[in-house]
Amino acid sequence: MASESISVTTSDDQTIQLSRKHAQMSQTINSMLEDSVGADQEAIPLPNVSSEVLKKVIDWCTHHENDPAPVEKVKKLNKKREYKAKNSTISDEWDKNFVNAELRVIVDILLAANYLDVKGLFELMCKHIANELKGKTPDQIRERFGIQDDLTEEDKAAMRKAWGATKNDS
Amino acid sequence: MKSNRSTNAALTLTTLPEELIMEILTKLALPELRQMTLVSRLFGRLARDTHLWKGLFFTVPPSTGVPNSRLWCTTVVVNSKMYLFGGHTTQESTNLISDVKSDLYEYDFETRVWTPLDHEMGGKTEHKCVPYNNCLWFTGGYNGHDYTNDTYTFDPITRTSAIVQTTGERFSPRSALTVGIWVGKMYTFGGWNGFTRKWFNDVHELDLETKTWRHINPRGVPPVQRTSHASVIRDGKMYIFGGFSGENYLNDLWELDIATETWTDISEDSYGQRPAPRSRFCAAVYGDCMYILGGWNKVGYFEDLHSFNFVTKMWTKIDNLLGGPPSISQYSFSIHKNLLYVFGGYCSKRKECVNDLLVYRFPEDEGRGEAAAEEPPKKRSREASISMPRKMFEEVVSSC
């Protein structure tokens, strides 16, 4: 009979126990478990996830463990056939608090959520970063995210010309 | 390798895999995407990435004098203006042709104004039109009473129309044929006659200089008879895809070598997933690719856009992260610069005949060979490579 807790080994060689329920919220771990049915459960290596980040992921899974399973959304026709951005609103109060972290941590969680294939958490991180990009000038975005400005004035002029200039240009 | 990422300092967004950045960008509205292009080269490239844009059709905001809703009109570009002629509407929800149109419009891509033009041509629908020598050449179609096999011309500069007096063996009266042009000659294929209930698979050539028709009997096994199929001409070869044979909906792909007059079935000489069998759609060629959109197969309407790359022989379903193409049939296609324009047709979502003008930007990564567009695309300039037509973009932005 399958045990109720799963061991995983993180990139920093920590062995961490997590409940089967939480483990199965990761499609990556879930498929590893399915592949090894009946075999002795050895610790699953997660070489791309640190223990610090994994603990964050487990925190999120714990809070969301009773969420309904994500439904595969059928792609609907965008009626007006106009460009329509995906929704980036974060409505859960706990989630809002959860994303209130250093950018370094956010990026690590995003990468871990992508690697572990935890859809809800991945979405949350994308939404948060998108919200951080919104309403900022290019200068502010570069400063906030530590991005180097490698565009020449010519490049920028060409972009503005192609896209139409606005008063927020820096 | 045990990289402990959490100890890395100053980890920025730029270290993320690009597909993750793309996921984030799909949550930005257009003005925000635009800002991203001014942040850095990486973000500039990703914000303009074809994955974000491709497969996306924009509705050109309605302007003055838009022609009424209709099916199967023709739209052809001559001297950077688009000319729309004919088409029909149906009785209620039936397929019966009720109103065959005889109106002719000129559309200015810059001002987006439609201007009705006077002429002396009778109404036509399910006809075809090619541009040649700065004139429009209309042929075949149904005129409200009869299936036809005559040819008209309209000269947009002198604004005069004429019936072309031809000699030789022309095709029998029919509609829903396809027509292409190659080196001063027009090539027709297929179609049907609803009175005799005959479907066709014959090929005819009209020399547009000598006005002489010729019935071509190509070598090899010909494609099965069909109507409402699509065809394009590229590099001396005419390609036929799909259609309705009178019995079956088709998704075979044929090549007619115009020089050697030989048919070849190239359906199996391709990779990727061929589009499902269908009729009532159009095809357009741009660069190395043929594009087909929507159509129907009696069971339902398609809501898809496919490309076929003639060089790699690869079929690709063009999808994007934001939504699918419109679900329409019996529309018309025309190409201007790097944009595909789609007018009218039956929209299955709205269950009605429409008069929308849609525009689709061809992917930039598919190369720009000698396109069969009326104007050969100019060499890729710095500005062209980031061209989202400014006016269109501003209006799309303002409607967000």
Side-chain angles (χ1 to χ4, degrees), chain B residues 40 93 195 205 229 255:
Chain B
S40 74
S93 57
F195 293 160
E205 172 194 276
H229 53 288
E255 178 184 281

Side-chain angles (χ1 to χ4, degrees), chain A residues 11 13 52 75 77 80-81 83-86 104 123 134 142 145 150 155 159 162-165 169, chain B residues 2 6 12 26-28 33-34 38-39 41 48 57 59 320-322 325 356 382 386 388 393:
Chain A
S11 62
D13 273 334
E52 181 199 344
K75 207 182 262 178
L77 178 72
K80 287 184 172 171
R81 293 178 291 266
Y83 180 95
K84 195 170 185 314
K86 289 184 184 170
R104 174 181 65 78
E123 268 297 294
K134 288 183 179 192
R142 281 191 291 268
F145 292 97
D150 55 0
D155 291 333
M159 296 285 180
W163 292 65
D169 288 342
Chain B
K2 295 238 160 114
S6 60
T12 73
T26 63
K27 298 181 193 311
L28 297 182
L33 270 183
R34 183 188 161 284
L38 298 169
V39 168
R41 276 179 199 279
R48 299 195 320 272
F57 284 76
T59 305
N320 79 75
L321 302 166
L322 294 156
D356 296 335
R382 180 179 203 96
I386 52 171
M388 166 62 63
F393 187 79

Side-chain angles (χ1 to χ4, degrees), chain B residues 89-135:
Chain B
T89 53
T90 58
Q91 285 172 16
E92 309 274 309
S93 57
T94 69
N95 279 325
L96 296 173
I97 294 174
S98 68
D99 176 20
V100 173
K101 312 270 186 191
S102 60
D103 43 2
L104 173 68
Y105 289 86
E106 181 181 83
Y107 178 73
D108 186 314
F109 291 105
E110 296 300 317
T111 62
R112 292 189 193 155
V113 172
W114 292 90
T115 309
L117 302 179
D118 286 336
H119 64 89
E120 290 166 353
M121 302 183 287
K124 287 256 180 121
T125 188
E126 299 183 349
H127 58 293
K128 285 293 180 301
C129 181
V130 290
Y132 177 69
N133 208 7
N134 295 324
C135 289

Side-chain angles (χ1 to χ4, degrees), chain B residues 22-315:
Chain B
M22 290 299 291
E23 276 294 327
I24 295 165
L25 295 184
T26 63
K27 298 181 193 311
L28 297 182
L30 285 173
E32 294 147 1
L33 270 183
R34 183 188 161 284
Q35 292 288 75
M36 293 308 293
T37 64
L38 298 169
V39 168
S40 74
R41 276 179 199 279
L42 173 72
F43 286 101
R45 180 166 58 76
L46 294 179
R48 299 195 320 272
D49 190 282
T50 47
H51 283 95
L52 211 52
W53 298 102
K54 80 178 175 184
L56 209 60
F57 284 76
F58 293 85
T59 305
V60 179
S63 52
T64 50
V66 184
N68 293 335
S69 300
R70 64 192 66 204
L71 307 173
W72 281 139
C73 61
T74 50
T75 46
V76 165
V77 178
V78 173
N79 291 329
S80 297
K81 298 252 176 29
M82 180 165 76
Y83 295 88
L84 180 151
F85 176 68
H88 73 273
T89 53
T90 58
Q91 285 172 16
E92 309 274 309
S93 57
T94 69
N95 279 325
L96 296 173
I97 294 174
S98 68
D99 176 20
V100 173
K101 312 270 186 191
S102 60
D103 43 2
L104 173 68
Y105 289 86
E106 181 181 83
Y107 178 73
D108 186 314
F109 291 105
E110 296 300 317
T111 62
R112 292 189 193 155
V113 172
W114 292 90
T115 309
L117 302 179
D118 286 336
H119 64 89
E120 290 166 353
M121 302 183 287
K124 287 256 180 121
T125 188
E126 299 183 349
H127 58 293
K128 285 293 180 301
C129 181
V130 290
Y132 177 69
N133 208 7
N134 295 324
C135 289
L136 306 165
W137 297 69
F138 301 96
T139 197
Y142 179 71
N143 65 13
H145 310 286
D146 244 326
Y147 290 84
T148 70
N149 60 353
D150 50 2
T151 303
Y152 312 150
T153 55
F154 180 79
D155 183 333
I157 297 165
T158 61
R159 304 261 163 115
T160 50
S161 51
I163 290 180
V164 182
Q165 302 297 333
T166 60
T167 58
E169 188 188 345
R170 56 182 163 167
F171 58 82
S172 60
R174 67 187 64 184
S175 74
L177 67 168
T178 54
V179 168
I181 188 164
W182 184 254
V183 202
K185 289 175 178 157
M186 181 171 89
Y187 294 87
T188 71
F189 173 76
W192 85 311
N193 186 307
F195 293 160
T196 59
R197 296 201 62 78
K198 278 201 173 116
W199 285 262
F200 301 106
N201 65 346
D202 48 353
V203 181
H204 291 260
E205 172 194 276
L206 174 62
D207 185 317
L208 299 171
E209 289 297 330
T210 65
K211 320 280 197 303
T212 312
W213 281 105
R214 186 165 71 93
H215 178 193
I216 298 180
N217 278 304
R219 276 180 273 272
V221 183
V224 69
Q225 58 189 37
R226 67 192 65 203
T227 188
S228 300
H229 53 288
S231 85
V232 296
I233 292 188
R234 178 184 180 273
D235 204 10
K237 298 187 172 76
M238 179 163 76
Y239 296 88
I240 305 290
F241 181 78
F244 178 62
S245 72
E247 289 177 356
N248 298 311
Y249 290 87
L250 307 165
N251 67 342
D252 49 351
L253 179 63
W254 290 77
E255 178 184 281
L256 175 71
D257 186 318
I258 291 171
T260 65
E261 300 187 351
T262 311
W263 277 118
T264 312
D265 180 355
I266 57 167
S267 307
E268 300 304 325
D269 181 24
S270 65
Y271 306 93
Q273 185 68 45
R274 253 188 297 158
R278 67 189 66 203
S279 71
R280 299 184 179 178
F281 63 103
C282 292
V285 67
Y286 183 80
D288 292 334
C289 290
M290 171 174 78
Y291 294 82
I292 73 162
L293 168 70
W296 88 316
N297 68 355
K298 200 159 201 169
V299 177
Y301 288 83
F302 291 96
E303 188 181 324
D304 53 7
L305 175 69
H306 297 262
S307 69
F308 178 72
N309 186 310
F310 290 108
V311 177
T312 62
K313 313 274 186 221
M314 178 67 87
W315 282 103

